[in-house]
Amino acid sequence: MKQTKHITPKTFDELVAQYGYYVCLPINFVIVFTPSELVVLSVIKHNLNIGTKTFSISLLKVWTGLSQNTIKDALTSLVDLDVLSKGSVSKKGTFYKINEKKLARLYMELNKTVAPVERLRIADRFRGEGKELHAGRIAEFENTEFDTRR
């Protein structure tokens, strides 16, 4: 029997990495998704990683602490954004798949952009017309030191 060496973590990041209960999502995604969308996406991503195949609203309520309506809205939005694909429905819940390629393209586009206002524009373009989150903030900071267009 192979004995695993227990390493005492020096930092919080090392502790989380040691126990493995984390999801890898880039910090730039906080401008793309609403907080509830990001939480629901993180929970689904984690559960898919540990083998959960179906998701009920009740399961997501327990994992997220969000209300039923907030979860339904987040799921609808994530499906509309083509981040999640909704599959068949069983007694245990709905099968969801994450569109990893779409998230990877978004990640790369955000990372190659250094101007914060341009990242907001990318996020709003990704979300699509009528679903933008940052029109007011873009207008506030347009043509400032945070904008490459100045």
Side-chain angles (χ1 to χ4, degrees), residues 1 11 22 30-31 43 45 67 99 102:
M1 173 189 276
T11 67
Y22 63 92
V30 300
I31 63 167
V43 166
K45 188 167 179 36
S67 73
N99 188 338
K102 187 163 193 167

PDB file of all heavy atoms in Angstrom, residues 1 11 22 30-31 43 45 67 99 102:
ATOM      1  N   MET A   1       0.841  -1.166   0.000  1.00  0.00           N
ATOM      2  CA  MET A   1       0.000   0.000   0.000  1.00  0.00           C
ATOM      3  C   MET A   1       0.894   1.239   0.000  1.00  0.00           C
ATOM      4  O   MET A   1       1.773   1.369   0.838  1.00  0.00           O
ATOM      5  CB  MET A   1      -0.920  -0.006   1.228  1.00  0.00           C
ATOM      6  CG  MET A   1      -1.715   1.272   1.366  1.00  0.00           C
ATOM      7  SD  MET A   1      -2.604   1.395   2.921  1.00  0.00           S
ATOM      8  CE  MET A   1      -4.041   0.479   2.533  1.00  0.00           C
ATOM      9  N   THR A  11      -0.196  28.154   2.880  1.00  0.00           N
ATOM     10  CA  THR A  11      -1.124  29.218   2.500  1.00  0.00           C
ATOM     11  C   THR A  11      -2.517  28.637   2.321  1.00  0.00           C
ATOM     12  O   THR A  11      -2.699  27.418   2.196  1.00  0.00           O
ATOM     13  CB  THR A  11      -0.705  29.879   1.176  1.00  0.00           C
ATOM     14  OG1 THR A  11      -0.844  28.916   0.123  1.00  0.00           O
ATOM     15  CG2 THR A  11       0.729  30.401   1.234  1.00  0.00           C
ATOM     16  N   TYR A  22     -12.345  22.717  -5.150  1.00  0.00           N
ATOM     17  CA  TYR A  22     -12.297  24.033  -5.762  1.00  0.00           C
ATOM     18  C   TYR A  22     -12.668  23.898  -7.233  1.00  0.00           C
ATOM     19  O   TYR A  22     -12.694  22.804  -7.792  1.00  0.00           O
ATOM     20  CB  TYR A  22     -10.921  24.674  -5.624  1.00  0.00           C
ATOM     21  CG  TYR A  22      -9.827  23.907  -6.323  1.00  0.00           C
ATOM     22  CD1 TYR A  22      -9.481  24.199  -7.638  1.00  0.00           C
ATOM     23  CD2 TYR A  22      -9.150  22.887  -5.676  1.00  0.00           C
ATOM     24  CE1 TYR A  22      -8.494  23.484  -8.288  1.00  0.00           C
ATOM     25  CE2 TYR A  22      -8.153  22.172  -6.317  1.00  0.00           C
ATOM     26  CZ  TYR A  22      -7.829  22.472  -7.626  1.00  0.00           C
ATOM     27  OH  TYR A  22      -6.852  21.765  -8.260  1.00  0.00           O
ATOM     28  N   VAL A  30     -15.844  37.482 -13.437  1.00  0.00           N
ATOM     29  CA  VAL A  30     -16.746  38.226 -12.543  1.00  0.00           C
ATOM     30  C   VAL A  30     -17.395  39.408 -13.250  1.00  0.00           C
ATOM     31  O   VAL A  30     -18.431  39.894 -12.790  1.00  0.00           O
ATOM     32  CB  VAL A  30     -16.062  38.689 -11.230  1.00  0.00           C
ATOM     33  CG1 VAL A  30     -15.551  37.521 -10.428  1.00  0.00           C
ATOM     34  CG2 VAL A  30     -14.982  39.709 -11.490  1.00  0.00           C
ATOM     35  N   ILE A  31     -16.835  39.863 -14.369  1.00  0.00           N
ATOM     36  CA  ILE A  31     -17.470  40.949 -15.117  1.00  0.00           C
ATOM     37  C   ILE A  31     -18.392  40.431 -16.206  1.00  0.00           C
ATOM     38  O   ILE A  31     -19.176  41.179 -16.767  1.00  0.00           O
ATOM     39  CB  ILE A  31     -16.441  41.933 -15.721  1.00  0.00           C
ATOM     40  CG1 ILE A  31     -15.550  41.228 -16.729  1.00  0.00           C
ATOM     41  CG2 ILE A  31     -15.660  42.625 -14.627  1.00  0.00           C
ATOM     42  CD1 ILE A  31     -14.724  42.169 -17.594  1.00  0.00           C
ATOM     43  N   VAL A  43     -20.842  25.773  -9.070  1.00  0.00           N
ATOM     44  CA  VAL A  43     -21.374  24.578  -8.412  1.00  0.00           C
ATOM     45  C   VAL A  43     -21.585  23.458  -9.427  1.00  0.00           C
ATOM     46  O   VAL A  43     -21.241  22.299  -9.172  1.00  0.00           O
ATOM     47  CB  VAL A  43     -22.674  24.912  -7.646  1.00  0.00           C
ATOM     48  CG1 VAL A  43     -23.429  23.655  -7.249  1.00  0.00           C
ATOM     49  CG2 VAL A  43     -22.342  25.755  -6.426  1.00  0.00           C
ATOM     50  N   LYS A  45     -20.011  23.107 -12.298  1.00  0.00           N
ATOM     51  CA  LYS A  45     -18.663  22.683 -12.727  1.00  0.00           C
ATOM     52  C   LYS A  45     -18.031  21.749 -11.687  1.00  0.00           C
ATOM     53  O   LYS A  45     -17.506  20.691 -12.031  1.00  0.00           O
ATOM     54  CB  LYS A  45     -17.786  23.907 -12.969  1.00  0.00           C
ATOM     55  CG  LYS A  45     -16.447  23.604 -13.595  1.00  0.00           C
ATOM     56  CD  LYS A  45     -15.795  24.887 -14.077  1.00  0.00           C
ATOM     57  CE  LYS A  45     -14.439  24.719 -14.690  1.00  0.00           C
ATOM     58  NZ  LYS A  45     -14.195  23.550 -15.466  1.00  0.00           N
ATOM     59  N   SER A  67     -32.074  31.269  -3.735  1.00  0.00           N
ATOM     60  CA  SER A  67     -33.494  30.929  -3.817  1.00  0.00           C
ATOM     61  C   SER A  67     -33.791  30.177  -5.110  1.00  0.00           C
ATOM     62  O   SER A  67     -33.018  30.229  -6.076  1.00  0.00           O
ATOM     63  CB  SER A  67     -34.355  32.195  -3.763  1.00  0.00           C
ATOM     64  OG  SER A  67     -34.251  32.906  -4.991  1.00  0.00           O
ATOM     65  N   ASN A  99     -20.217  24.341 -21.883  1.00  0.00           N
ATOM     66  CA  ASN A  99     -19.590  24.600 -23.173  1.00  0.00           C
ATOM     67  C   ASN A  99     -18.170  25.115 -22.921  1.00  0.00           C
ATOM     68  O   ASN A  99     -17.924  26.322 -22.892  1.00  0.00           O
ATOM     69  CB  ASN A  99     -20.421  25.608 -23.983  1.00  0.00           C
ATOM     70  CG  ASN A  99     -19.920  25.772 -25.394  1.00  0.00           C
ATOM     71  OD1 ASN A  99     -18.765  25.477 -25.705  1.00  0.00           O
ATOM     72  ND2 ASN A  99     -20.798  26.259 -26.258  1.00  0.00           N
ATOM     73  N   LYS A 102     -16.477  27.457 -25.602  1.00  0.00           N
ATOM     74  CA  LYS A 102     -16.939  28.849 -25.584  1.00  0.00           C
ATOM     75  C   LYS A 102     -16.301  29.605 -24.422  1.00  0.00           C
ATOM     76  O   LYS A 102     -15.877  30.750 -24.577  1.00  0.00           O
ATOM     77  CB  LYS A 102     -18.459  28.904 -25.486  1.00  0.00           C
ATOM     78  CG  LYS A 102     -19.004  30.301 -25.625  1.00  0.00           C
ATOM     79  CD  LYS A 102     -20.465  30.314 -25.938  1.00  0.00           C
ATOM     80  CE  LYS A 102     -20.858  31.699 -26.381  1.00  0.00           C
ATOM     81  NZ  LYS A 102     -22.170  31.723 -26.995  1.00  0.00           N
TER      82      LYS A 102
END
